Amino acid sequence: MENEIFEQIKNELTDYGKSVGEVGRLRLIGIVSHLLGLFLLIFTLTLCVLALFTFGSVAAIDAMAAYMPVWAAALIIGSAYIVLIVIAIACRKQLFIQPFIKLLSRDIRTEEELALKTMEAEHQVEIRNVRMECHVENATRELNFYMNLFRRVWNLLTGKIRE
């Protein structure tokens, strides 16, 4: 009887674990495919923008070459690119990190919120771990109690009590 109950609980937990694993696997596939698709889109758009900047800079150098030497026009365009690089480095969190955080989680907007949510999730894992350990300890204690009780009754019935 007890083995059937334990076997039933074991089967239910196994089925539950498989179901949770399948849901997690499917969600992971959805997130990764979405992320890779957006990464490829951003990569393609970045290449197109770089090509546009290249053609634009050549055209700007050619237009400025009519009024100044070509090397001076190239230095002006080069310095404009350096300013764009400095702006991109200065605003890297707003331009690169935070959009991916928003993409992966609808609730979280910044790195600080992500760190707080991570700490909360780790705390919940610790709490659940402690609860499970307590349940296991209680079940073990109860099983030991019943085993000792059964042993004493058995010894009493068989007349082998030792005092």
Side-chain angles (χ1 to χ4, degrees):
M1 178 75 177
E2 289 181 15
N3 287 337
E4 292 176 10
I5 293 172
F6 286 129
E7 192 66 32
Q8 183 181 8
I9 291 172
K10 178 183 162 190
N11 289 337
E12 287 178 10
L13 285 174
T14 303
D15 293 341
Y16 177 75
K18 287 179 183 177
S19 298
V20 169
E22 182 67 17
V23 169
R25 186 181 70 83
L26 293 174
R27 285 185 181 172
L28 182 65
I29 288 171
I31 290 171
V32 168
S33 64
H34 192 67
L35 181 65
L36 287 176
L38 285 175
F39 174 75
L40 290 174
L41 175 67
I42 291 170
F43 184 69
T44 304
L45 290 176
T46 303
L47 288 177
C48 290
V49 167
L50 288 176
L52 181 66
F53 279 157
T54 302
F55 292 129
S57 64
V58 169
I61 289 172
D62 188 45
M64 288 188 286
Y67 302 103
M68 63 180 69
V70 173
W71 62 269
L75 284 177
I76 292 172
I77 297 299
S79 62
Y81 277 124
I82 290 174
V83 169
L84 287 175
I85 291 171
V86 169
I87 290 172
I89 291 172
C91 300
R92 69 183 174 275
K93 286 186 179 181
Q94 293 83 6
L95 292 175
F96 303 109
I97 296 173
Q98 290 179 1
F100 279 109
I101 291 174
K102 289 177 189 174
L103 171 72
L104 293 174
S105 175
R106 294 182 184 120
D107 303 340
I108 303 170
R109 302 242 184 256
T110 63
E111 283 183 285
E112 292 80 19
E113 289 179 25
L114 179 63
L116 287 173
K117 292 284 187 181
T118 303
M119 286 189 336
E120 287 176 15
E122 289 171 351
H123 181 67
Q124 289 297 323
V125 167
E126 289 173 5
I127 287 173
R128 291 198 169 111
N129 188 21
V130 169
R131 285 182 183 166
M132 285 178 24
E133 287 176 1
C134 289
H135 288 302
V136 168
E137 287 177 11
N138 287 338
T140 305
R141 204 173 304 124
E142 188 173 330
L143 182 65
N144 287 336
F145 171 76
Y146 286 123
M147 290 299 290
N148 287 334
L149 181 65
F150 176 73
R151 190 175 342 140
R152 287 180 188 221
V153 169
W154 180 258
N155 287 337
L156 180 66
L157 292 175
T158 60
K160 296 182 180 178
I161 277 188
R162 294 182 188 153
E163 295 180 11

